[in-house]
Amino acid sequence: QVQLVESGGGLVQAGGSLRLSCAASGTIASINGFGWYRQVPGKQRELVATISSSSGTHYADFVKGRFTISRDNAKNTVSLQMNSLEPEDTAVYYCNGDITTINHATSRILRSDYWGPGTQVTVSP
């Protein structure tokens, strides 16, 4: 079993900063990559940033130059440093992990995506 939990959300004024973190735990063999997504009511969930061993980092155009994604492989965590926040950044932010697990009893390998429950980010004008 794998669990992802986000933290660091909150209320900030426009122009301020927040740092989101996500910790993965469970029967993890390896983590290929992480992604941050966000969603507002009535709209689809959208990609914010990704980081992986195979592809490096990728950012959505609307956050490029303002947000930075990073990971700590030893701690199985990923962070999103958000600077110059705008009211349009208000959303629930979700952590996604591309994670491989191994069932040692059966020697079966499973690579799958996992999601955290989300953390609210609110940016006031």
Side-chain angles (χ1 to χ4, degrees):
Q1 294 182 325
V2 174
Q3 300 84 39
L4 300 178
V5 180
E6 304 95 341
S7 62
L11 174 65
V12 297
Q13 292 183 325
S17 298
L18 278 177
R19 185 176 180 86
L20 305 182
S21 296
C22 173
S25 62
T27 55
I28 298 171
S30 63
I31 301 178
N32 182 63
F34 285 106
W36 284 99
Y37 296 74
R38 70 186 188 186
Q39 188 170 25
V40 299
K43 295 186 178 181
Q44 292 184 319
R45 189 171 299 185
E46 62 183 355
L47 185 148
V48 176
T50 60
I51 183 169
S52 68
S53 58
S54 60
S55 302
T57 58
H58 169 77
Y59 296 93
D61 288 340
F62 54 82
V63 303
K64 197 170 298 182
R66 300 188 298 126
F67 293 6
T68 302
I69 188 171
S70 61
R71 64 184 294 187
D72 186 330
N73 294 329
K75 297 181 179 180
N76 289 338
T77 60
V78 63
S79 297
L80 184 69
Q81 179 65 46
M82 304 185 295
N83 299 325
S84 301
L85 284 163
E86 305 167 353
E88 292 75 18
D89 295 318
T90 295
V92 176
Y93 283 71
Y94 296 91
C95 175
N96 171 266
D98 178 3
I99 299 173
T100 298
T101 60
I102 300 177
N103 186 326
H104 293 285
T106 62
S107 298
R108 292 180 178 180
I109 300 174
L110 176 64
R111 180 175 176 178
S112 183
D113 285 334
Y114 298 86
W115 292 92
T119 184
Q120 177 70 46
V121 171
T122 302
V123 184
S124 62

